[in-house]
């Protein structure tokens, strides 16, 4: 394991130092290789173990860690822009990183300690974190049955989870449960520990290789420095989880435009009603591509806006300015709600409208263009947009606080 001092640079969260072009150039070759095999993995439901491993070796899991500790010092805006690019290459691979990046962010916000330093060292060594938050059997955080109990000098975790995204690729699983007093904790357990059982039973028609199935834990050990009160997790955690999904949706929108352009260029004939016998010169068909490009522009712009709002929360947190942090959290909530309305609409519209430029050949199973809509529709269902416009309207008209207080994680909550 990498040997580091148990300190972090608090200025990292307020003054990231990475160059976005350098980051994009570094990871572009990896993204291109991942994109090259995307349709075959989709066609055969082949899990991207090699692709996740290559990203780890390239350092994708440490992009937010300070440069002086061996990371890249990226801002949240840069992080989510990169995640969108990965989403354009393969939406499944991108979604797998959501829990890992969120736990790294949590450790960057934590107070310096030897235990926290060990986590940073694990990230630098390429150890990967998967998810395990959602209760199985329709359980909710209000009636959570999973337990995280202190037993002697360690903890024991028992329970059942679903939507355990990224679990099959992970070294560690992030599990939430209650202790005997009813307090909520998250515990990190090793994926290969006795008592951990992962089942690939995800039945969604999209995001089929994210390893989002079931996870059960039977008296699984957890070290004290791997157990955290849920109330102490980083304040913009819920916004982070939601923005990660929005980044992948943005990537899907980019992919729909990219693949639509390619398919149109390769289209050999036009309909009799067309304005030109060559589809790629038909003004009406070109208009469709132009409209899809506008959806990409809207999604990319909204993603940068919401990511910058999270950078503002992180900076206020690092500065210890609770007043500024409170204002920033409200701004981030509004930005997240707005971004969900804009990006989900852009993704669903682009992945449907693009077929209007392609004719019957566009629905060929050789191209698998339907994967973009299936993946977008699946991701868009994680945090339903149906509530967002009402919440913003109530805030604008009546001054109602838009930030939810779920009583579990404080204001902001946790995205599904």
């Amino acid at each position: 394991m990498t040997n580091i001092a148990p300190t972090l640079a608090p200025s990292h969260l307020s003054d990231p130092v990475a160059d976005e072009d350098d980051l994009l150039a570094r990871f572009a070759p990896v993204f291109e290789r991942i994109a090259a095999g995307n349709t075959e993995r989709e066609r055969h439901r082949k899990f991207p173990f090699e692709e996740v491993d290559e990203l780890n070796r390239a350092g994708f899991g440490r992009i937010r860690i300070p440069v002086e500790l061996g990371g890249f010092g990226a801002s949240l805006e840069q992080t989510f822009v990169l995640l969108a690019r990965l989403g354009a290459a393969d939406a499944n691979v991108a979604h797998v990183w959501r829990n890992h990046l969120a736990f790294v962010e949590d450790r960057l916000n934590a107070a310096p300690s030897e235990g926290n330093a060990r986590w940073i060292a694990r990230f630098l060594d390429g150890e990967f974190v998967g998810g395990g938050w959602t209760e199985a059997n329709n359980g909710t955080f209000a009636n959570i049955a999973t337990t995280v109990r202190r037993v002697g000098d360690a903890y024991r975790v028992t329970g059942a989870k679903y939507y355990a995204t990224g679990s099959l690729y992970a070294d560690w699983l992030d599990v939430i449960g209650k202790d005997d007093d009813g307090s909520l904790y998250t515990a990190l357990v090793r994926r290969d520990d006795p008592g951990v059982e992962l089942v690939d039973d995800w039945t969604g028609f999209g995001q089929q290789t994210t390893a989002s199935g079931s996870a059960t834990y039977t008296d699984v050990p957890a070290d004290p420095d791997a157990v955290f009160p849920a109330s102490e997790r980083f304040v913009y955690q819920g916004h982070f989880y939601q923005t990660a999904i929005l980044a992948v949706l943005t990537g899907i929108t980019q992919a729909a435009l990219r693949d639509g352009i390619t398919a149109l260029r390769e289209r050999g004939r036009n309909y009799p009603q067309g304005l030109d016998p060559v589809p790629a010169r038909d003004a009406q068909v070109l208009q469709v591509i132009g409209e899809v490009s506008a959806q990409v522009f809207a999604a990319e712009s909204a993603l940068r806006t919401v990511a910058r709002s999270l950078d503002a929360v992180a900076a206020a947190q690092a500065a210890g300015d609770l007043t500024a942090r409170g204002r920033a959290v409200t701004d981030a909530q509004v930005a997240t709600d707005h971004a969900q309305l804009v990006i989900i609409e852009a993704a669903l519209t682009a992945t449907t409208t693009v077929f209007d430029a392609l004719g019957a050949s566009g629905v060929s199973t050789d191209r698998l263009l339907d994967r973009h809509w299936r993946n977008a529709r699946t991701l868009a269902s994680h945090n339903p947009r149906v509530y967002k416009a009402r919440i913003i309207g109530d805030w604008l008209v009546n001054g109602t606080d838009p930030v939810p207080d779920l009583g579990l994680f404080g204001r902001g909550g946790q995205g599904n």
Side-chain angles (χ1 to χ4, degrees):
M1 179 177 288
T2 303
N3 184 21
I4 62 171
T7 57
L8 292 172
S11 62
H12 165 69
L13 295 178
S14 58
D15 187 25
V17 298
D19 180 88
E20 185 173 307
D21 290 337
D22 289 345
L23 287 173
L24 290 170
R26 177 183 180 87
F27 290 102
V30 183
F31 294 168
E32 290 171 5
R33 286 191 288 273
I34 290 172
N38 179 213
T39 54
E40 283 304 299
R41 288 190 298 273
E42 182 78 18
R43 182 173 289 111
H44 300 292
R45 199 166 184 265
K46 178 184 176 182
F47 286 89
F49 291 103
E50 295 177 2
E51 289 72 20
V52 174
D53 185 58
E54 183 177 5
L55 283 163
N56 249 324
R57 293 196 309 272
F60 196 74
R62 52 187 169 91
I63 53 178
R64 279 282 284 164
I65 294 175
V67 171
E68 57 268 32
L69 294 184
F72 297 112
S75 67
L76 286 170
E77 180 181 356
Q78 292 164 343
T79 298
F80 289 123
V81 166
L82 276 175
L83 191 62
R85 293 292 182 92
L86 178 56
D90 188 322
N92 292 275
V93 175
H95 190 37
V96 163
W97 285 88
R98 180 178 181 234
N99 292 293
H100 178 87
L101 294 173
F103 187 64
V104 171
E105 193 71 16
D106 189 63
R107 295 300 84 206
L108 292 177
N109 275 272
S113 69
E114 291 185 3
N116 201 50
R118 283 192 286 272
W119 279 111
I120 300 300
R122 290 173 182 136
F123 303 148
L124 294 173
D125 284 343
E127 295 190 30
F128 188 72
V129 178
W133 282 47
T134 305
E135 285 286 282
N137 304 314
N138 294 317
T140 67
F141 287 138
N143 60 3
I144 196 167
T146 299
T147 58
V148 179
R149 292 193 173 103
R150 185 79 184 231
V151 180
D153 294 333
Y155 289 81
R156 293 283 171 171
V157 179
T158 297
K161 299 291 184 177
Y162 195 52
Y163 301 136
T165 300
S167 57
L168 295 181
Y169 312 102
D171 301 290
W172 298 87
L173 302 171
D174 189 351
V175 189
I176 191 165
K178 288 183 177 179
D179 67 2
D180 290 332
D181 295 329
S183 299
L184 208 59
Y185 286 85
T186 55
L188 275 291
V189 300
R190 290 189 180 274
R191 177 192 177 279
D192 57 1
D193 271 346
V196 176
E197 182 182 4
L198 303 176
V199 180
D200 173 28
D201 56 356
W202 168 246
T203 59
F205 58 58
Q207 296 300 100
Q208 293 184 355
T209 59
T210 56
S212 296
S214 298
T216 59
Y217 307 90
T218 306
D219 203 31
V220 181
D223 293 332
D225 66 2
V227 177
F228 313 96
S231 60
E232 295 179 7
R233 302 296 291 267
F234 69 108
V235 69
Y236 50 99
Q237 179 174 243
H239 304 113
F240 188 103
Y241 275 100
Q242 293 180 46
T243 304
I245 288 179
L246 294 175
V248 183
L249 281 164
T250 298
I252 293 171
T253 312
Q254 294 168 340
L257 176 62
R258 176 200 65 210
D259 292 350
I261 291 171
T262 298
L264 177 57
R265 286 172 175 166
E266 295 174 353
R267 185 175 160 189
R269 62 177 182 172
N270 207 357
Y271 291 102
Q273 301 94 332
L275 301 179
D276 192 288
V278 177
R281 294 202 301 257
D282 187 319
Q284 226 168 339
V285 173
L286 293 173
Q287 179 179 342
V288 173
I289 296 298
E291 289 170 349
V292 172
S293 76
Q295 299 293 343
V296 173
F297 179 84
E300 291 176 343
S301 300
L303 180 65
R304 285 191 180 275
T305 297
V306 68
R308 287 172 191 155
S309 77
L310 298 192
D311 274 320
V313 181
Q317 174 75 13
D321 188 336
L322 296 183
T323 300
R325 191 188 75 176
R327 291 194 299 266
V329 167
T330 298
D331 291 343
Q333 183 66 50
V334 173
T336 303
D337 289 348
H338 273 139
Q340 286 185 339
L341 291 168
V342 171
I343 294 174
I344 290 174
E345 179 65 26
L348 295 179
T349 299
T351 55
T352 300
T353 303
V354 71
F355 287 97
D356 291 337
L358 306 181
S361 62
V363 301
S364 168
T365 54
D366 290 336
R367 294 189 181 278
L368 280 182
L369 294 183
D370 61 303
R371 75 187 188 279
H372 297 318
W373 181 87
R374 288 187 289 103
N375 289 334
R377 181 63 273 176
T378 301
L379 284 170
S381 299
H382 281 64
N383 292 103
R385 58 177 169 163
V386 65
Y387 306 113
K388 306 305 178 181
R390 169 183 58 81
I391 291 170
I392 293 172
D394 197 15
W395 173 66
L396 291 171
V397 175
N398 300 311
T400 303
D401 189 349
V403 184
D405 186 350
L406 303 183
L408 300 171
F409 307 95
R411 296 172 77 243
Q414 151 68 9
N416 291 328

